[in-house]
Amino acid sequence: MIKHNPLYQSMINAVSQTLENMVFIEVMEHFDQSYEIPAEDLVWNSLLINDPVQGEIRLAMPKTFLKELTGNIFSIDNDEITQPQLDDILNELLNTIVGLFLTNLLEDDQEYKMGLPELGEEGLPEYDANTITWKLMTDGEDALQIFATGASLVALKDD
Amino acid sequence: MKRIIIADDSTTARMFIKRCLQIIGLGDAEIIEAEHGKEALTAAKAQPVDLLLTDLNMPVMDGETLVKWVKASPKLCDLPVVVITSAGNPAKEAQLLALGAHRVLNKPVSPPVMMEALADFIDEE
């Protein structure tokens, strides 16, 4: 039996801590929970959690928002931004979010192991019964979506 | 002039750490960037280094293995190693400190946290 804190709030706190500390942006739940990021403007990546539960976390956001973040972080104009910079920011955001999520979720004496972020190709995988979704937005109303999959991870969800 | 190695596979993370170092008064330090533990270890052996800042989750050689190698090396065992990771919790921190890490900081690291962690190091300037 894994001792843990509330799963849903652990993720919201992790995303908020990451975005506020890295790019000074506030994050909240999206006012429209049916909102989907248009497929033609979508970028996403994923990271495996290997221990003590097994699952995958995916981060999705509009390309336009990722470009804006990248320009702000590297202090460069839009036409100077390179694809490796976009990829690196997306991966570092997910890496930090998942680390904080697991730190928030699990008890202090519980170690965890996570993999390395991987960029997603084509569209997001279909949701299934073992998927939890967080639909969030920034104070500038840019959408962010997080997906958690994997039976043992999702089993920790709040009652 | 201080010489500092930053080991992290993310360009973004290395840039954040460099900014923190500048803000806390280490902007004059010579920064050597490494994308993984093996590259950092090679750099540390090649020339005298004053501080090693490393991530944990990296390809090729991870940060924990890097700490073990540094602390096992007669040449490098006195080199202060600060781990900056998104994969840290109290259990992991205790394990890394037992291996010989000087401090373990959580990402995203901020200048005040970095300042506090490196206070001794900065005082030596």
Side-chain angles (χ1 to χ4, degrees):
Chain A
M1 183 79 178
I2 295 169
K3 288 185 192 170
H4 65 93
N5 296 311
L7 182 136
Y8 195 83
Q9 195 59 43
S10 293
M11 180 60 84
I12 290 184
N13 292 348
V15 178
S16 294
Q17 288 169 274
T18 302
L19 272 285
E20 283 177 22
N21 283 321
M22 283 177 72
V23 285
F24 310 108
I25 286 175
E26 279 189 56
V27 177
M28 60 207 85
E29 287 190 80
H30 202 289
F31 60 81
D32 178 3
Q33 288 293 303
S34 65
Y35 180 80
E36 299 290 345
I37 299 167
E40 66 276 11
D41 191 31
L42 179 90
V43 283
W44 66 279
N45 59 351
S46 63
L47 193 154
L48 290 174
I49 297 171
N50 302 314
D51 196 46
V53 289
Q54 292 74 47
E56 183 177 87
I57 306 289
R58 299 182 196 121
L59 167 66
M61 67 174 68
K63 283 178 199 165
T64 44
F65 179 48
L66 177 60
K67 201 163 186 181
E68 184 187 322
L69 286 180
T70 305
N72 289 341
I73 289 173
F74 283 102
S75 304
I76 53 177
D77 293 331
N78 269 4
D79 56 2
E80 295 174 276
I81 296 170
T82 64
Q83 191 59 46
Q85 287 171 326
L86 292 166
D87 296 345
D88 194 73
I89 297 268
L90 190 65
N91 283 342
E92 185 60 14
L93 282 172
L94 180 60
N95 191 46
T96 307
I97 287 168
V98 175
L100 287 171
F101 166 64
L102 292 171
T103 301
N104 293 340
L105 177 70
L106 301 169
E107 294 284 314
D108 285 353
D109 59 351
Q110 178 72 63
E111 279 197 53
Y112 53 80
K113 286 184 184 155
M114 49 195 255
L116 294 168
E118 289 185 16
L119 295 166
E121 291 176 5
E122 300 176 356
L124 276 163
E126 295 285 321
Y127 308 173
D128 62 22
N130 285 323
T131 303
I132 300 176
T133 306
W134 288 260
K135 292 194 174 182
L136 308 171
M137 66 175 194
T138 67
D139 44 10
E141 297 191 12
D142 291 297
L144 281 172
Q145 293 180 353
I146 308 271
F147 305 87
T149 67
S152 60
L153 173 62
V154 172
L156 303 182
K157 74 181 173 189
D158 318 324
D159 294 326
Chain B
M1 184 172 64
K2 300 279 190 189
R3 190 177 282 139
I4 301 171
I5 296 177
I6 302 173
D8 197 308
D9 54 323
S10 163
T11 313
T12 309
R14 295 198 304 270
M15 190 200 59
F16 271 108
I17 294 168
K18 278 193 286 185
R19 277 192 192 161
C20 281
L21 293 175
Q22 285 167 355
I23 291 168
I24 68 172
L26 290 169
D28 290 341
E30 181 187 343
I31 305 295
I32 300 161
E33 296 188 44
E35 293 188 1
H36 49 73
K38 196 171 179 186
E39 203 178 315
L41 192 61
T42 303
K45 285 179 175 171
Q47 55 193 324
V49 176
D50 301 292
L51 177 67
L52 170 57
L53 304 172
T54 183
D55 185 22
L56 271 190
N57 259 3
M58 293 183 288
V60 186
M61 180 191 283
D62 64 33
E64 188 174 331
T65 308
L66 175 61
V67 174
K68 287 178 186 169
W69 272 100
V70 167
K71 293 302 163 185
S73 161
K75 189 177 171 187
L76 300 176
C77 60
D78 293 328
L79 174 64
V81 182
V82 173
V83 178
I84 302 173
T85 180
S86 61
N89 65 354
K92 192 72 188 175
E93 181 177 344
Q95 187 189 340
L96 289 163
L97 293 175
L99 286 175
H102 177 66
R103 287 290 298 269
V104 180
L105 308 179
N106 285 320
K107 283 184 180 178
V109 71
S110 65
V113 170
M114 185 80 94
M115 170 78 102
E116 190 274 325
L118 301 184
D120 298 345
F121 185 76
I122 294 165
D123 288 345
E124 290 171 12
E125 283 277 277

